[in-house]
Amino acid sequence: MTRRTYAGLSLLALAVLAVFFLFPIYMAVLNSFKTQGEMYSSVLGFPVKLHLENYVQAFKKANMLQSGWNTIVVTVTGIVVIVLCSSLAGYKLSRTPGKLSNAIFMLFVSSMLIPFQTIMVTLTKMAKTLGLQGSPFGLGIFFAGLGVSMAVFLYHGFVKGIPRELDESAKMDGCGEVKTFFLIILPLLLPITFTIGILNLLWLWNDFLLPVLMLTDFRQYTLVLTINMFFGKYSREWSLILASLILSSIPIVVIFAIFQRWIIQGITDGAVKG
């Protein structure tokens, strides 16, 4: 196979994959501007008129301001705790090799293999005992506990690529271990921090199962839970569902588009250095 033929086949395969993944998004955007009747009569057809009122109704009925704020609280809390705790743990475990460090690191890695369904009842009871059930902040704390293992794994591999001489130089200048980490090491972890932050942002923003177990009041619902309310027992308000899905996904798409270069760089560096 010549290089030109290989490049052509690769381009064709990428085009097919792009269509495969983008077609559902295209259908969601297209049908979000239709009425319920137009959608049932012709799913693939273009709308006769752009019904922008679908977005207005979806914004009001889904209580986007309150549910959006709850989602932000959950996401920011989870990401901040994950980044802070995981970066410290990954740095310490990487800089102090030994049997104990290896055992603790393997505990973090092995926890990623535990299915969420096996622990969700225990997590719900624990949240109720600690008084964190029904709280977006408490939900963010539990998300952090579930996401810290992957973050420690990535930080651990990334820190291995940072020279130990930086730690020794800082120690000679009178910096303690904590000060060395926050002033010297943490700024060097920005690529992998961006990666961990964005990956967890996508997870926390879109997760459904843990919020539905933890949040009991409509006023505490995240965006995903409020959108789920459009699925009635006897009917589905598809025009509002699709409009609300588009509205809730816009912030994530924008953030991912801005930071995608750092995401790829962080994953690549962490894999190579680890």
Side-chain angles (χ1 to χ4, degrees):
M1 184 182 297
T2 63
R3 182 175 297 180
R4 181 174 297 179
T5 304
Y6 178 78
L9 291 176
S10 300
L11 184 61
L12 179 61
L14 291 174
V16 172
L17 287 174
V19 171
F20 179 78
F21 285 105
L22 292 177
F23 184 73
I25 301 175
Y26 164 77
M27 291 294 298
V29 175
L30 183 69
N31 288 285
S32 66
F33 292 103
K34 296 180 181 178
T35 62
Q36 200 84 339
E38 289 178 342
M39 192 180 307
Y40 285 137
S41 62
S42 177
V43 177
L44 296 176
F46 285 92
V48 179
K49 176 186 175 183
L50 295 179
H51 294 275
L52 298 177
E53 62 271 15
N54 291 342
Y55 285 86
V56 177
Q57 292 182 32
F59 187 86
K60 293 180 179 179
K61 288 189 176 182
N63 196 15
M64 285 285 182
L65 290 179
Q66 182 63 49
S67 58
W69 171 250
N70 294 335
T71 307
I72 291 173
V73 171
V74 172
T75 304
V76 171
T77 302
I79 291 176
V80 169
V81 176
I82 288 173
V83 168
L84 184 60
C85 296
S86 302
S87 58
L88 284 166
Y91 168 71
K92 184 63 177 179
L93 293 174
S94 179
R95 285 294 195 255
T96 55
K99 292 183 179 180
L100 180 59
S101 294
N102 291 336
I104 296 174
F105 179 68
M106 289 307 299
L107 284 176
F108 278 113
V109 174
S110 60
S111 66
M112 293 188 293
L113 304 177
I114 302 175
F116 174 76
Q117 289 77 7
T118 61
I119 61 173
M120 63 182 185
V121 176
T122 305
L123 287 178
T124 305
K125 290 183 177 180
M126 186 183 299
K128 188 175 182 179
T129 303
L130 296 175
L132 296 176
Q133 190 175 25
S135 167
F137 176 77
L139 178 59
I141 297 296
F142 274 82
F143 268 126
L146 295 172
V148 74
S149 55
M150 173 63 79
V152 169
F153 174 75
L154 293 175
Y155 274 121
H156 186 273
F158 196 91
V159 170
K160 288 182 179 180
I162 299 177
R164 290 178 176 268
E165 288 77 11
L166 293 175
D167 303 52
E168 297 171 359
S169 300
K171 187 177 182 180
M172 292 177 62
D173 291 337
C175 283
E177 196 170 12
V178 176
K179 191 175 181 180
T180 299
F181 172 78
F182 283 103
L183 295 182
I184 298 175
I185 303 300
L186 188 59
L188 299 176
L189 298 178
L190 281 181
I192 195 66
T193 299
F194 271 114
T195 301
I196 292 170
I198 297 299
L199 292 178
N200 283 285
L201 172 66
L202 296 174
W203 169 42
L204 270 63
W205 191 277
N206 296 311
D207 190 72
F208 175 81
L209 186 54
L210 187 57
V212 81
L213 294 173
M214 293 278 292
L215 302 178
T216 56
D217 190 349
F218 169 76
R219 293 169 297 180
Q220 303 161 349
Y221 278 8
T222 58
L223 286 169
V224 176
L225 295 185
T226 55
I227 293 172
N228 182 63
M229 292 192 306
F230 289 128
F231 289 87
K233 185 175 181 181
Y234 301 106
S235 64
R236 303 286 189 271
E237 299 181 76
W238 286 110
S239 57
L240 299 184
I241 292 172
L242 295 175
S244 58
L245 285 173
I246 299 300
L247 288 174
S248 64
S249 62
I250 288 175
I252 298 298
V253 173
V254 172
I255 293 174
F256 188 83
I258 294 174
F259 296 109
Q260 61 177 332
R261 181 167 63 90
W262 286 278
I263 298 172
I264 298 172
Q265 178 184 349
I267 293 176
T268 305
D269 290 347
V272 174
K273 294 175 183 177

